[in-house]
Amino acid sequence: MQRRLGFDIDGTITDPATFIPYINQDFHKNFTLDDISDYDLSKLLKIDENEFWDWMLANEPTIYRNAPLIKQVDQILKRWHVDHELVFITARKKQYEAITVDWLKQHDIPYQHVELIGHHNKLAAVKEQGIELFFEDKHDNAVMIAEECGIPVILFDTPYNRLPIPDGVIRVSNWQEAESWVEEWLKAKRL
């Protein structure tokens, strides 16, 4: 039976360290992914949130265009695409739709739908799209989607999302672990 799988993009199919070289260059820092213990990067940089978002606005197009793909995610998504619908729901702003779609095509990532919602609250989009399983890197999103939508959420482990997780949120270290969990989930759904 075909399932509708939902995916975040940044930090989930793109490398969670994507932003770090840009931050290090522009803010004269030497951060690594392990230094990022909070999703809010303005705290790490010790700058005003508005200053951070001004920086983001100036840099988002370049960062999104050049974001590295996580190793092997493309092959896993291609396998799943044979039997399932793949929907991308991202907090990216609508103005980056062409960049996002071009990036997916450049990396040969299959999909049925891409939705850029412009904010981090993905609940409405997940419900509207009929998502049955979601993939995320932002802790509060993962928890909210699992609890409010009653669906499993795969949370990719990063230093910035290590708060406790409730039932329904499955923490994985990489896409191979995610694929194994999904295969077991799909088997259980067929029974």
Side-chain angles (χ1 to χ4, degrees), residues 3 9 14 27 34 43 50 55 59 61 63 72 74 79 91 107 114 121 151 158 165 186:
R3 299 290 173 185
I9 294 176
T14 67
F27 292 94
D34 289 331
K43 291 177 184 175
N50 290 329
W55 177 86
N59 288 278
I63 293 169
Q72 296 184 334
D74 52 339
R79 286 194 290 274
H107 292 282
V114 178
N121 187 339
I151 63 171
T158 65
I165 55 174
L186 290 169

mmCIF file of all heavy atoms in Angstrom, residues 3 9 14 27 34 43 50 55 59 61 63 72 74 79 91 107 114 121 151 158 165 186:
data_model
loop_
_atom_site.group_PDB
_atom_site.id
_atom_site.type_symbol
_atom_site.label_atom_id
_atom_site.label_comp_id
_atom_site.label_asym_id
_atom_site.label_seq_id
_atom_site.Cartn_x
_atom_site.Cartn_y
_atom_site.Cartn_z
ATOM 1 N N ARG A 3 2.193 4.833 0.784
ATOM 2 C CA ARG A 3 2.173 5.714 1.951
ATOM 3 C C ARG A 3 2.623 7.106 1.529
ATOM 4 O O ARG A 3 3.381 7.273 0.572
ATOM 5 C CB ARG A 3 3.116 5.196 3.045
ATOM 6 C CG ARG A 3 2.746 3.833 3.560
ATOM 7 C CD ARG A 3 1.479 3.897 4.359
ATOM 8 N NE ARG A 3 1.038 2.556 4.722
ATOM 9 C CZ ARG A 3 -0.093 2.313 5.349
ATOM 10 N NH1 ARG A 3 -0.909 3.278 5.670
ATOM 11 N NH2 ARG A 3 -0.428 1.082 5.641
ATOM 12 N N ILE A 9 13.560 19.725 4.845
ATOM 13 C CA ILE A 9 14.731 19.747 3.962
ATOM 14 C C ILE A 9 16.009 20.075 4.732
ATOM 15 O O ILE A 9 16.921 19.260 4.817
ATOM 16 C CB ILE A 9 14.532 20.744 2.792
ATOM 17 C CG1 ILE A 9 13.399 20.261 1.877
ATOM 18 C CG2 ILE A 9 15.836 20.896 1.987
ATOM 19 C CD1 ILE A 9 13.041 21.205 0.742
ATOM 20 N N THR A 14 19.521 17.871 3.825
ATOM 21 C CA THR A 14 20.787 18.592 3.653
ATOM 22 C C THR A 14 21.601 18.408 4.927
ATOM 23 O O THR A 14 21.057 18.174 6.000
ATOM 24 C CB THR A 14 20.573 20.104 3.401
ATOM 25 O OG1 THR A 14 20.035 20.710 4.575
ATOM 26 C CG2 THR A 14 19.673 20.344 2.208
ATOM 27 N N PHE A 27 30.971 35.943 10.481
ATOM 28 C CA PHE A 27 31.047 36.384 11.877
ATOM 29 C C PHE A 27 32.430 36.134 12.494
ATOM 30 O O PHE A 27 32.614 36.305 13.694
ATOM 31 C CB PHE A 27 29.956 35.703 12.713
ATOM 32 C CG PHE A 27 28.571 36.157 12.346
ATOM 33 C CD1 PHE A 27 27.813 35.440 11.429
ATOM 34 C CD2 PHE A 27 28.028 37.307 12.903
ATOM 35 C CE1 PHE A 27 26.534 35.856 11.080
ATOM 36 C CE2 PHE A 27 26.758 37.738 12.559
ATOM 37 C CZ PHE A 27 26.003 37.011 11.637
ATOM 38 N N ASP A 34 29.194 20.473 16.476
ATOM 39 C CA ASP A 34 29.119 20.150 17.905
ATOM 40 C C ASP A 34 28.943 21.378 18.792
ATOM 41 O O ASP A 34 28.494 21.262 19.936
ATOM 42 C CB ASP A 34 30.365 19.378 18.342
ATOM 43 C CG ASP A 34 30.374 17.962 17.793
ATOM 44 O OD1 ASP A 34 29.282 17.401 17.581
ATOM 45 O OD2 ASP A 34 31.473 17.422 17.561
ATOM 46 N N LYS A 43 21.584 32.894 19.454
ATOM 47 C CA LYS A 43 22.119 32.658 20.800
ATOM 48 C C LYS A 43 23.596 32.254 20.728
ATOM 49 O O LYS A 43 24.406 32.716 21.512
ATOM 50 C CB LYS A 43 21.314 31.577 21.527
ATOM 51 C CG LYS A 43 19.919 32.005 21.882
ATOM 52 C CD LYS A 43 19.156 30.869 22.540
ATOM 53 C CE LYS A 43 17.724 31.269 22.811
ATOM 54 N NZ LYS A 43 16.948 30.133 23.344
ATOM 55 N N ASN A 50 17.008 39.868 15.408
ATOM 56 C CA ASN A 50 16.770 40.618 14.165
ATOM 57 C C ASN A 50 18.038 40.718 13.318
ATOM 58 O O ASN A 50 17.983 40.620 12.094
ATOM 59 C CB ASN A 50 16.231 42.020 14.465
ATOM 60 C CG ASN A 50 14.821 41.971 15.004
ATOM 61 O OD1 ASN A 50 14.039 41.081 14.670
ATOM 62 N ND2 ASN A 50 14.492 42.924 15.860
ATOM 63 N N TRP A 55 20.936 38.810 8.472
ATOM 64 C CA TRP A 55 22.027 38.038 7.870
ATOM 65 C C TRP A 55 21.468 36.874 7.053
ATOM 66 O O TRP A 55 21.906 36.614 5.932
ATOM 67 C CB TRP A 55 22.982 37.531 8.960
ATOM 68 C CG TRP A 55 24.073 36.677 8.409
ATOM 69 C CD1 TRP A 55 25.261 37.106 7.895
ATOM 70 C CD2 TRP A 55 24.078 35.252 8.295
ATOM 71 N NE1 TRP A 55 26.001 36.024 7.452
ATOM 72 C CE2 TRP A 55 25.294 34.878 7.687
ATOM 73 C CE3 TRP A 55 23.163 34.256 8.637
ATOM 74 C CZ2 TRP A 55 25.626 33.548 7.418
ATOM 75 C CZ3 TRP A 55 23.483 32.925 8.372
ATOM 76 C CH2 TRP A 55 24.698 32.588 7.768
ATOM 77 N N ASN A 59 21.758 35.818 3.000
ATOM 78 C CA ASN A 59 22.544 34.631 2.661
ATOM 79 C C ASN A 59 21.741 33.396 2.261
ATOM 80 O O ASN A 59 22.311 32.462 1.697
ATOM 81 C CB ASN A 59 23.448 34.265 3.850
ATOM 82 C CG ASN A 59 24.573 35.249 3.992
ATOM 83 O OD1 ASN A 59 25.574 35.152 3.304
ATOM 84 N ND2 ASN A 59 24.399 36.232 4.867
ATOM 85 N N PRO A 61 19.631 32.534 -0.184
ATOM 86 C CA PRO A 61 19.691 32.005 -1.554
ATOM 87 C C PRO A 61 20.980 31.225 -1.828
ATOM 88 O O PRO A 61 20.945 30.131 -2.393
ATOM 89 C CB PRO A 61 19.588 33.247 -2.440
ATOM 90 C CG PRO A 61 18.921 34.276 -1.589
ATOM 91 C CD PRO A 61 19.368 33.988 -0.188
ATOM 92 N N ILE A 63 23.088 29.860 0.399
ATOM 93 C CA ILE A 63 23.152 28.671 1.252
ATOM 94 C C ILE A 63 22.270 27.563 0.691
ATOM 95 O O ILE A 63 22.699 26.413 0.577
ATOM 96 C CB ILE A 63 22.765 29.026 2.706
ATOM 97 C CG1 ILE A 63 23.818 29.950 3.325
ATOM 98 C CG2 ILE A 63 22.589 27.759 3.541
ATOM 99 C CD1 ILE A 63 23.404 30.579 4.652
ATOM 100 N N GLN A 72 23.852 9.332 0.907
ATOM 101 C CA GLN A 72 22.956 8.218 0.592
ATOM 102 C C GLN A 72 21.462 8.528 0.691
ATOM 103 O O GLN A 72 20.648 7.681 0.390
ATOM 104 C CB GLN A 72 23.286 6.986 1.429
ATOM 105 C CG GLN A 72 24.663 6.444 1.134
ATOM 106 C CD GLN A 72 24.961 5.164 1.889
ATOM 107 O OE1 GLN A 72 24.396 4.907 2.946
ATOM 108 N NE2 GLN A 72 25.839 4.359 1.341
ATOM 109 N N ASP A 74 19.701 10.382 -1.226
ATOM 110 C CA ASP A 74 19.105 10.349 -2.566
ATOM 111 C C ASP A 74 18.738 8.926 -2.983
ATOM 112 O O ASP A 74 17.653 8.686 -3.514
ATOM 113 C CB ASP A 74 20.019 11.011 -3.597
ATOM 114 C CG ASP A 74 21.440 10.484 -3.604
ATOM 115 O OD1 ASP A 74 21.890 9.883 -2.593
ATOM 116 O OD2 ASP A 74 22.129 10.682 -4.616
ATOM 117 N N ARG A 79 14.420 4.803 -3.785
ATOM 118 C CA ARG A 79 13.798 3.492 -3.512
ATOM 119 C C ARG A 79 12.377 3.678 -2.985
ATOM 120 O O ARG A 79 11.460 2.990 -3.403
ATOM 121 C CB ARG A 79 14.641 2.692 -2.508
ATOM 122 C CG ARG A 79 15.911 2.127 -3.097
ATOM 123 C CD ARG A 79 16.555 1.078 -2.201
ATOM 124 N NE ARG A 79 17.140 1.599 -0.982
ATOM 125 C CZ ARG A 79 18.368 2.082 -0.861
ATOM 126 N NH1 ARG A 79 19.174 2.145 -1.926
ATOM 127 N NH2 ARG A 79 18.834 2.520 0.298
ATOM 128 N N ALA A 91 10.313 25.045 6.130
ATOM 129 C CA ALA A 91 10.097 26.380 6.682
ATOM 130 C C ALA A 91 10.645 27.466 5.760
ATOM 131 O O ALA A 91 10.456 28.651 6.020
ATOM 132 C CB ALA A 91 10.742 26.492 8.058
ATOM 133 N N HIS A 107 19.975 17.389 -7.584
ATOM 134 C CA HIS A 107 20.404 16.225 -6.806
ATOM 135 C C HIS A 107 19.581 14.978 -7.110
ATOM 136 O O HIS A 107 19.732 13.958 -6.449
ATOM 137 C CB HIS A 107 20.377 16.552 -5.314
ATOM 138 C CG HIS A 107 21.410 17.552 -4.928
ATOM 139 N ND1 HIS A 107 22.737 17.228 -4.768
ATOM 140 C CD2 HIS A 107 21.332 18.893 -4.713
ATOM 141 C CE1 HIS A 107 23.422 18.313 -4.454
ATOM 142 N NE2 HIS A 107 22.596 19.336 -4.425
ATOM 143 N N VAL A 114 6.165 19.888 -3.182
ATOM 144 C CA VAL A 114 7.068 20.680 -2.349
ATOM 145 C C VAL A 114 6.267 21.865 -1.832
ATOM 146 O O VAL A 114 5.644 22.586 -2.617
ATOM 147 C CB VAL A 114 8.293 21.200 -3.144
ATOM 148 C CG1 VAL A 114 9.182 22.054 -2.261
ATOM 149 C CG2 VAL A 114 9.072 20.056 -3.744
ATOM 150 N N ASN A 121 6.118 26.185 12.024
ATOM 151 C CA ASN A 121 4.960 25.390 12.435
ATOM 152 C C ASN A 121 4.386 24.651 11.226
ATOM 153 O O ASN A 121 3.663 25.225 10.415
ATOM 154 C CB ASN A 121 3.902 26.270 13.086
ATOM 155 C CG ASN A 121 2.771 25.450 13.683
ATOM 156 O OD1 ASN A 121 2.557 24.299 13.311
ATOM 157 N ND2 ASN A 121 2.052 26.043 14.605
ATOM 158 N N ILE A 151 1.199 10.774 14.311
ATOM 159 C CA ILE A 151 1.986 9.990 13.357
ATOM 160 C C ILE A 151 3.414 9.872 13.884
ATOM 161 O O ILE A 151 3.864 10.723 14.649
ATOM 162 C CB ILE A 151 1.992 10.616 11.942
ATOM 163 C CG1 ILE A 151 2.664 12.016 11.957
ATOM 164 C CG2 ILE A 151 0.584 10.692 11.366
ATOM 165 C CD1 ILE A 151 2.918 12.607 10.585
ATOM 166 N N THR A 158 21.070 15.555 16.206
ATOM 167 C CA THR A 158 22.076 16.606 16.062
ATOM 168 C C THR A 158 22.318 17.205 17.444
ATOM 169 O O THR A 158 21.483 17.039 18.339
ATOM 170 C CB THR A 158 21.600 17.732 15.117
ATOM 171 O OG1 THR A 158 20.484 18.390 15.721
ATOM 172 C CG2 THR A 158 21.235 17.220 13.733
ATOM 173 N N ILE A 165 12.578 12.995 24.140
ATOM 174 C CA ILE A 165 11.537 12.836 23.119
ATOM 175 C C ILE A 165 10.423 11.934 23.646
ATOM 176 O O ILE A 165 10.670 11.004 24.401
ATOM 177 C CB ILE A 165 12.106 12.269 21.799
ATOM 178 C CG1 ILE A 165 12.856 10.947 22.037
ATOM 179 C CG2 ILE A 165 12.973 13.293 21.101
ATOM 180 C CD1 ILE A 165 13.315 10.250 20.778
ATOM 181 N N LEU A 186 6.728 -0.193 7.712
ATOM 182 C CA LEU A 186 5.940 -0.570 6.528
ATOM 183 C C LEU A 186 5.479 -2.028 6.612
ATOM 184 O O LEU A 186 4.347 -2.346 6.263
ATOM 185 C CB LEU A 186 6.755 -0.345 5.242
ATOM 186 C CG LEU A 186 6.997 1.115 4.870
ATOM 187 C CD1 LEU A 186 8.031 1.208 3.761
ATOM 188 C CD2 LEU A 186 5.695 1.807 4.471
#
